[in-house]
Amino acid sequence: SLVEGAKYIYRRRPLFWLYVLSAGVIMMGAPFRENMSPFAIEELEGGPGTYGNLLSLLGLGALGGSVILAATSGSKNKGSMLIISGLVWGAMILVFSQVPSLPVAVPVLLILGSAQAISFTILSIVIQGTVDDAYRGRLLSFHLLSFSAAGFTGLAIGHVVDWAGVRTTFLGMGVVIVTFVLFMALWRKDIRRLG
């Protein structure tokens, strides 16, 4: 069943490249949350309360992103929305790497949380809406697998944080995500056309 599902994804090229895009963004972007703790302590000179505030802001932004997505649910440009949310996600990680204090981080994390929520939800909507019923469960399994793969990149990113510092690591993560999404958007027009 897994092999048959993988062949189905590969034959449906827009879907295949959508998986590549989502896996790349998730693998580079998801470890951001785990490394906010050293950022709160070392860079913002806070403690557990500061870390909790940072996570709360991400959650509040995600709630806002869900509202935005609900308001634009009739849009036929889901591929473009996915590209834009991926670019915003990477750009906000890049901007966050330079924030000097918690008050400055507030709007950045609200936008970042919103972009994450929009990106995750649109991926699920497009996957659910473009596959044949017989393959839906298997394709969702592949999608969830990309979240698991983020654990491996998270380990590597943790080592980079120890070596280069958390600000530099976040800066690099943001640059990689923005570059990757831009490359995919320019190279694969079929992703932009997904409805």
Side-chain angles (χ1 to χ4, degrees):
S1 292
L2 284 173
V3 170
E4 192 178 341
K7 286 179 179 176
Y8 176 82
I9 292 172
Y10 188 73
R11 285 193 307 265
R12 303 277 306 265
R13 284 312 172 123
L15 197 58
F16 173 77
W17 290 111
L18 179 69
Y19 271 93
V20 170
L21 174 65
S22 69
V25 172
I26 289 168
M27 288 172 68
M28 281 307 298
F32 169 78
R33 184 184 299 260
E34 287 78 19
N35 289 290
M36 281 174 45
S37 176
F39 190 89
I41 294 165
E42 296 167 15
E43 303 299 334
L44 300 182
E45 299 177 352
T50 306
Y51 177 55
N53 287 333
L54 295 176
L55 289 179
S56 298
L57 288 166
L58 270 179
L60 190 58
L63 182 62
S66 300
V67 171
I68 291 168
L69 203 53
T72 59
S73 61
S75 172
K76 299 289 185 188
N77 300 322
K78 290 189 174 50
S80 296
M81 288 174 68
L82 180 63
I83 296 293
I84 291 167
S85 64
L87 288 172
V88 171
W89 186 354
M92 288 301 105
I93 290 176
L94 199 151
V95 171
F96 183 78
S97 73
Q98 304 304 310
V99 298
S101 64
L102 182 60
V104 178
V106 171
V108 176
L109 288 175
L110 290 174
I111 295 169
L112 176 56
S114 179
Q116 282 180 325
I118 290 170
S119 191
F120 288 152
T121 307
I122 288 179
L123 280 169
S124 297
I125 289 169
V126 172
I127 289 168
Q128 290 286 333
T130 58
V131 302
D132 298 329
D133 290 342
Y135 293 95
R136 186 164 284 124
R138 278 172 278 190
L139 267 62
L140 279 176
S141 298
F142 282 113
H143 177 55
L144 293 174
L145 198 60
S146 62
F147 287 94
S148 303
F152 295 107
T153 53
L155 180 63
I157 287 171
H159 285 296
V160 175
V161 167
D162 288 341
W163 173 69
V166 69
R167 280 194 191 272
T168 305
T169 304
F170 282 171
L171 181 68
M173 288 168 67
V175 168
V176 168
I177 292 170
V178 168
T179 304
F180 177 67
V181 173
L182 272 176
F183 172 75
M184 291 296 289
L186 294 172
W187 183 48
R188 301 300 309 184
K189 294 178 182 176
D190 48 358
I191 292 177
R192 293 200 312 263
R193 295 188 189 117
L194 287 170

